[in-house]
Amino acid sequence: MTPSTLGVGILGAGPVTQAIHLPTLARLTDVFHVVRVMDVDPAVAESVAGRVGAAWTADVDELLADEEVQIVVICSPHQFHAEQVVAACRAGKRAILCEKPFAMSKAQAEEIATVAAETRTPIIVGAMHTFDPGWLAAKAHWDDLITTSHTIRYSIVLPPNPRFEDFATEVATRPQWPAADRNDPDVAAGMIYGGIMGLAIHDLPLVRAFCPDFTDVEVLSCTLPYPAGYLVNLRVGQKDVQVSAVNSHSWEPEWTVEAIGDSSALRIDFSPSYVQAGSATAVIRRGWESEVYGPYAYNGYEGEWRFLAELARGTAEPLDITELIHDLTFALEVADKSAAAVREATAAANEKVMA
Amino acid sequence: MTARLTVSASSDADSEGRIGQALAALPMSLHPGGEDADLVGLAGGTDWVSAAVRAIDAGARGVLVVDPTPAEVRALRGSTVPVVLDGRWTYNPAVLDSVSAFTARNDAESLIEVRADVPVGSDLDRVLLSQLALIRTAIAPVVELSFDRCNSRGWDARGTLESGARVALAAILTDALEPAASLRIIKPDDAVRLTVPDPATARPGHVVVSSAGGATLLVTKWESAHRVAWRTLHRLVTSEQLGTDLLGFEHDVELVRGGRTALSAA
């Protein structure tokens, strides 16, 4: 810590804070220092704060009242994000990083936009791949692919998070997920909704980037794989989109986004979350020729923190919060319609079995 | 000693199926012949069934059809002459080598993804049949099929296997990517991934079997699918066997017609 580094306060000290943000901040000690860590579990707050020599608290207001906290990062459960973003804005902080989703409804997002404008607080949402140097390099070189692409593919094969968390740090606590009966239509719908808003949401902003008519969403089908995940076929405006993820213990993690047109195509392979394994690799193909960008030395998490520092110091233009709202409403629409589709399909399958 | 059989092929078939190259790579087994050749290579255009019947009536001992279009094959059903259907991907050696890994994981908890990247303007019916043949050969036949979409850019469809495994089928028409097919089965604990290049190239397909313990790349073989198809026909003829291509093809054609009906009703 030096007087010139920016003071960080963290709301929520679960695995994302422990295995992602603290290891990332450890790479940026010339830019940031952690001032205070808050968690509803005092033991977790104290333990995690102790790793970085920070103060701890179990009280949100106490952290926000700490004048040494210049930047707030919100890693609490989703349902608290909106109110904590608003509170951080009102507390006069210099910049806010909120894990995705930054709200659970359009109304909440619009309230955030109003308060952020009033208080002139720059906000970024932790869609880390939008800050990944591989994605940014592709963006600078894909020419007219936004208009010429017709097919978008976003695919994840996700090993259990602890496999990577345990390489990144020693995690103090992990949330437990109760087993659920996936044959219950509401449970199946809940699994899909949770999958879209908890996992797919990472790169739905990237998908949206290739879908100018993103308000015109039709879910053509939705499948719930074993043991969890989603497989959704969508029409978004004129684009054919597939969004899929499967949780599997198999040793071939995959996290890719593709945009494919008649004569050019982009594929991005992202490195696993949690570990400091550098950036994505982007390949732009045009027939028998290809251009490769990356992997670069740092990943999207570090990218978002670097940008956050620029925002706090006033050397970068804040993001247009309208775009963040569009990202959110797009994700909510995909999640709502996909959940409804799988609820209906599960109920129909149950009726078929009963008959 | 290998029995050497003669081969004749129409110019269409030669051009579509690179038959000359396959023969040149099997000089001990096959040799170019005239009108009375032992084996006949045909292009898979709309009249391929009647052309096959004519060839058999004229004395052919075996027939190979390159990339066949959907057709009623009843006229060939009673024949004692083997007919090999050289679709785009099924005869790639990686497909044959992947069978045991795939079939061991074929159950109701499996998700199967199959995708074809094919050039703009490709005949979608032929691509779909090749895709169904790939699944049938590597795992098992698709028994139900419905389309979420099908347009000039490709399709997304859903199917199931007899085991209850669910299948997501996709085709993407693009000149930006190398023509190829991929097939993947994903289960809660393990997965198998197969990638197959264009049938004319001898670049290898890849099969990767992965579990929590690691991922294994199976043996890679630098042999084109066309060459394997001709080797297969040679083996069937010399061992007096018929093969199962026609039976499987008949099943897939019926399925495609049913799937298209469902699509038009949607």
Side-chain angles (χ1 to χ4, degrees):
Chain A
M1 163 185 169
T2 69
S4 62
T5 57
L6 294 159
V8 174
I10 300 173
L11 297 177
V16 169
T17 291
Q18 295 172 45
I20 291 176
H21 291 301
L22 292 185
T24 302
L25 288 168
R27 291 165 60 93
L28 297 167
T29 51
D30 56 333
V31 186
F32 300 101
H33 65 278
V34 181
V35 173
R36 190 175 290 269
V37 176
M38 172 269 160
D39 196 274
V40 290
D41 183 334
V44 171
E46 184 176 12
S47 162
V48 174
R51 299 175 184 192
V52 287
W56 66 272
T57 178
D59 181 46
V60 174
D61 292 337
E62 187 181 338
L63 183 142
L64 295 179
D66 187 335
E67 291 188 358
E68 284 187 36
V69 172
Q70 297 162 299
I71 290 174
V72 175
V73 53
I74 297 166
C75 302
S76 50
H78 297 175
Q79 66 268 29
F80 301 116
H81 286 182
E83 67 180 82
Q84 291 177 349
V85 171
V86 168
C89 287
R90 298 263 186 235
K93 300 306 174 188
R94 286 165 68 171
I96 297 166
L97 164 60
C98 182
E99 275 301 339
K100 61 270 160 198
F102 79 134
M104 293 304 282
S105 70
K106 189 180 179 192
Q108 284 182 342
E110 286 172 344
E111 186 196 352
I112 289 170
T114 303
V115 175
E118 274 173 23
T119 58
R120 297 187 177 185
T121 312
I123 297 169
I124 66 173
V125 177
M128 72 288 191
H129 289 160
T130 61
F131 298 94
D132 189 291
W135 165 255
L136 297 175
K139 217 172 163 178
H141 293 92
W142 66 41
D143 297 331
D144 58 356
L145 194 56
I146 285 183
T147 49
T148 59
S149 61
H150 52 67
T151 301
I152 314 299
R153 288 286 191 272
Y154 168 23
S155 173
I156 300 172
V157 176
L158 192 70
N161 280 344
R163 186 182 290 173
F164 293 102
E165 289 169 356
D166 290 346
F167 288 137
T169 192
E170 294 164 316
V171 175
T173 57
R174 288 193 169 102
Q176 300 297 314
W177 308 106
D181 176 13
R182 54 186 286 136
N183 294 318
D184 178 331
D186 288 333
V187 170
M191 289 174 75
I192 290 292
Y193 189 88
I196 301 289
M197 293 305 289
L199 181 59
I201 195 163
H202 286 81
D203 286 359
L204 285 177
L206 280 59
V207 171
R208 191 177 76 80
F210 289 100
C211 299
D213 301 324
F214 62 88
T215 57
D216 179 19
V217 174
E218 181 185 7
V219 169
L220 304 172
S221 72
C222 180
T223 302
L224 176 60
Y226 288 93
Y230 44 82
L231 171 61
V232 189
N233 284 327
L234 298 150
R235 181 192 55 77
V236 184
Q238 296 301 309
K239 305 292 177 96
D240 298 335
V241 179
Q242 185 178 84
V243 174
S244 69
V246 183
N247 294 87
S248 174
H249 286 80
S250 73
W251 191 253
E252 272 220 313
E254 176 184 276
W255 193 309
T256 62
V257 174
E258 291 176 277
I260 302 163
D262 282 354
S263 55
S264 63
L266 165 70
R267 177 185 167 112
I268 303 190
D269 283 81
F270 289 99
S271 53
S273 298
Y274 301 103
V275 288
Q276 303 292 336
S279 80
T281 302
V283 179
I284 298 173
R285 284 198 61 124
R286 297 182 176 89
W288 295 102
E289 296 180 342
S290 55
E291 301 157 23
V292 181
Y293 298 95
Y296 300 92
Y298 63 86
N299 64 17
Y301 290 109
E302 189 169 330
E304 72 190 13
W305 276 102
R306 287 168 181 258
F307 183 64
L308 197 60
E310 292 178 16
L311 288 175
R313 289 180 169 144
T315 56
E317 283 296 310
L319 299 177
D320 180 354
I321 205 157
T322 309
E323 293 300 317
L324 301 181
I325 294 173
H326 288 332
D327 285 340
L328 178 70
T329 54
F330 178 58
L332 287 169
E333 188 158 12
V334 172
D336 283 336
K337 289 182 173 175
S338 301
V342 90
R343 180 184 285 110
E344 191 180 328
T346 307
N350 289 347
E351 278 178 25
K352 200 172 166 185
V353 170
M354 295 292 279
Chain B
M1 185 178 167
T2 304
R4 197 186 201 202
L5 304 178
T6 54
V7 177
S8 72
S10 66
S11 58
D12 283 359
D14 192 16
S15 146
E16 288 178 27
R18 308 287 176 93
I19 292 174
Q21 285 180 34
L23 301 197
L26 292 164
M28 305 284 280
S29 305
L30 302 172
H31 186 71
E35 286 182 4
D36 60 346
D38 299 309
L39 310 181
V40 174
L42 300 171
T46 48
D47 62 345
W48 70 265
V49 174
S50 53
V53 169
R54 281 196 303 275
I56 291 168
D57 288 347
R61 297 169 62 196
V63 175
L64 182 142
V65 184
V66 179
D67 198 14
T69 197
E72 168 58 64
V73 297
R74 197 179 304 139
L76 291 167
R77 210 184 274 159
S79 170
T80 55
V81 172
V83 177
V84 163
L85 302 180
D86 184 14
R88 295 178 186 226
W89 303 297
T90 45
Y91 279 101
N92 186 290
V95 177
L96 307 178
D97 289 346
S98 71
V99 171
S100 61
F102 275 122
T103 52
R105 291 164 177 83
N106 171 20
D107 62 39
E109 289 195 355
S110 305
L111 176 67
I112 296 163
E113 298 170 329
V114 58
R115 168 172 151 180
D117 296 336
V118 293
V120 173
S122 294
D123 180 332
L124 291 181
D125 286 333
R126 293 192 195 192
V127 174
L128 179 56
L129 282 175
S130 282
Q131 200 170 52
L132 291 170
L134 174 62
I135 302 166
R136 172 166 45 79
T137 306
I139 312 175
V142 175
V143 295
E144 287 177 28
L145 179 69
S146 63
F147 283 79
D148 285 342
R149 64 168 154 252
C150 182
N151 54 37
S152 60
R153 293 142 9 164
W155 66 72
D156 277 298
R158 287 169 294 137
T160 52
L161 306 187
E162 192 67 48
S163 65
R166 291 175 289 180
V167 188
L169 303 93
I172 300 171
L173 272 65
T174 176
D175 293 330
L177 301 173
E178 180 193 345
S182 60
L183 177 65
R184 179 165 69 175
I185 193 163
I186 309 178
K187 293 180 59 60
D189 293 315
D190 49 7
V192 181
R193 175 171 56 83
L194 162 72
T195 51
V196 189
D198 184 83
T201 180
R203 272 189 295 108
H206 289 104
V207 187
V208 177
V209 182
S210 68
S211 66
T216 303
L217 171 68
L218 301 192
V219 171
T220 48
K221 295 179 179 171
W222 276 258
E223 183 177 22
S224 77
H226 290 320
R227 185 178 191 270
V228 178
W230 279 103
R231 272 204 299 111
T232 302
L233 183 61
H234 182 278
R235 178 179 54 77
L236 291 173
V237 169
T238 54
S239 62
E240 298 183 349
Q241 292 179 294
L242 276 178
T244 58
D245 282 5
L246 279 178
L247 204 61
F249 183 83
E250 203 167 10
H251 166 89
D252 293 343
V253 169
E254 272 181 36
L255 189 72
V256 169
R257 288 180 176 152
R260 286 293 164 83
T261 305
L263 177 67
S264 53

